[in-house]
Amino acid sequence: PALAGVLHRAAQRDGQVLRAGAMSQNPEIASSIRTGGFNSNVHDVGAGSGTPVLMIHGSGPGVSAWANWRQAIPALAGSRRVIAPDMVGFGYTDRPAGIEYSMDTWVRQGLDLLDALGLERVHLVGNSFGGALAMALAIRAPERVQRLVLMGSVGVPFPITEGLDAVWGYQASFENMRSIMDYFAWSRELVTDELAKLRYEASIRPGFQESFSAMFPAPRQRWVDAMTSAEADIRALPHETLIIHGREDKVIPLSNSLTLADWIPNAQLHVFGHCGHWTQIEHNARFNRL
């Protein structure tokens, strides 16, 4: 109830349109904000005096900002304004007919959101697919980013893993969802039939699977390559950057973060042992403190 109240006040504060009754029915649905040619579903929480934090989710089937960050948003919102959008093609953001799902589209959405909220600068946190977007946004508009956090990030060259190929190639069924859940977490305790059922049901909401399957058709190595930023651009990033990875990650290899730690001048790397791709869930309290 306290968090719902914070969310409601944040939406009212910024004059955003809060979808009637949505907060009590589905915590994934928040405020509708115009970003370029479509409306984005955006969680805008907390009112700390420091630089706001923009959090960009990953690209699993049925994912949304709230599903990705639900254990991090309340912890960070106690001291910061936290902004977490559903990137176009995911969650409850509009799915415009004929839109091209590409790095340029997603980066433009992020910048349009900052403009819509009147934010000159943010800290930027990106998870996996979201890490590639965060890095690309920082390269395109470095003045809009203060500090950068990259978690299990795409964005450098690597041969696609079996895990990522399975995740991006997901075809909607409970059995397939249960199978790809095994790639995400190191702890078998997290990968339950109940979780798989919830994620499967999320993946078959109207429009979700259609847009997801349109993003990453086989052969999928080309989409890994399309999300890669140039080495020279990464090496030129001026931002203080925290790089986070799970040692046992089967979706995005740890070598990605070792590369980023080598290339980004002002970087530090934290590797969680006994951890897969879900650092923000498997080591939640430690992740939030870091």
Side-chain angles (χ1 to χ4, degrees):
L3 178 58
V6 171
L7 286 164
H8 183 72
R9 289 193 297 275
Q12 288 183 321
R13 177 196 64 206
D14 295 308
Q16 299 157 7
V17 178
L18 189 64
R19 298 174 186 173
M23 294 306 301
S24 61
Q25 296 172 14
N26 184 349
E28 294 180 274
I29 300 175
S31 303
S32 182
I33 299 176
R34 194 71 179 171
T35 49
F38 55 87
N39 294 322
S40 290
N41 182 56
V42 181
H43 300 269
D44 189 350
V45 189
S49 58
T51 302
V53 180
L54 175 62
M55 307 186 80
I56 304 179
H57 60 74
S59 62
V63 76
S64 67
W66 182 255
N68 200 146
W69 301 117
R70 65 190 180 279
Q71 295 183 32
I73 288 174
L76 299 179
S79 59
R80 295 278 178 176
R81 181 179 176 186
V82 180
I83 300 154
D86 289 345
M87 304 311 291
V88 65
F90 296 94
Y92 292 88
T93 286
D94 289 349
R95 290 170 166 79
I99 193 167
E100 179 185 3
Y101 294 119
S102 68
M103 288 287 285
D104 185 67
T105 296
W106 288 310
V107 170
R108 183 71 261 161
Q109 179 189 4
L111 291 171
D112 285 341
L113 176 59
L114 297 186
D115 291 343
L117 295 177
L119 298 175
E120 294 185 4
R121 207 175 192 203
V122 293
H123 298 305
L124 191 51
V125 183
N127 177 28
S128 191
F129 152 92
L133 303 187
M135 191 158 52
L137 192 156
I139 289 168
R140 179 181 297 189
E143 75 284 355
R144 307 298 293 269
V145 179
Q146 184 165 336
R147 291 185 176 181
L148 189 60
V149 181
L150 305 173
M151 306 164 44
S153 184
V154 187
V156 296
F158 69 98
I160 193 168
T161 62
E162 176 184 312
L164 182 57
D165 196 47
V167 169
W168 279 355
Y170 168 79
Q171 296 297 314
S173 74
F174 170 78
E175 292 75 17
N176 288 342
M177 182 61 78
R178 185 66 178 80
S179 176
I180 67 170
M181 288 288 100
D182 288 332
Y183 288 109
F184 281 109
W186 176 81
S187 172
R188 299 300 90 193
E189 294 179 2
L190 285 178
V191 184
T192 63
D193 285 349
E194 180 181 12
L195 176 61
K197 183 173 183 291
L198 288 171
R199 298 318 307 155
Y200 164 65
E201 290 173 350
S203 76
I204 59 172
R205 291 168 182 157
F208 277 45
Q209 180 60 20
E210 290 82 355
S211 57
F212 182 77
S213 62
M215 288 180 201
F216 310 113
R220 297 184 182 88
Q221 180 67 47
R222 55 183 165 155
W223 309 121
V224 171
D225 299 340
M227 291 185 184
T228 298
S229 291
E231 179 179 348
D233 290 337
I234 297 173
R235 288 185 179 274
L237 283 169
H239 312 89
E240 292 285 343
T241 303
L242 173 62
I243 302 164
I244 299 172
H245 217 109
R247 186 181 62 198
E248 287 79 25
D249 193 334
K250 295 179 181 179
V251 180
I252 305 300
L254 175 59
S255 58
N256 276 27
S257 286
L258 297 174
T259 297
L260 289 167
D262 180 47
W263 288 0
I264 298 175
N266 299 311
Q268 57 178 291
L269 170 64
H270 187 102
V271 179
F272 284 101
H274 293 169
C275 183
H277 195 54
W278 283 344
T279 54
Q280 79 278 23
I281 296 173
E282 293 193 81
H283 292 268
N284 173 248
R286 295 170 66 198
F287 169 84
N288 289 336
R289 286 196 300 272
L290 185 62

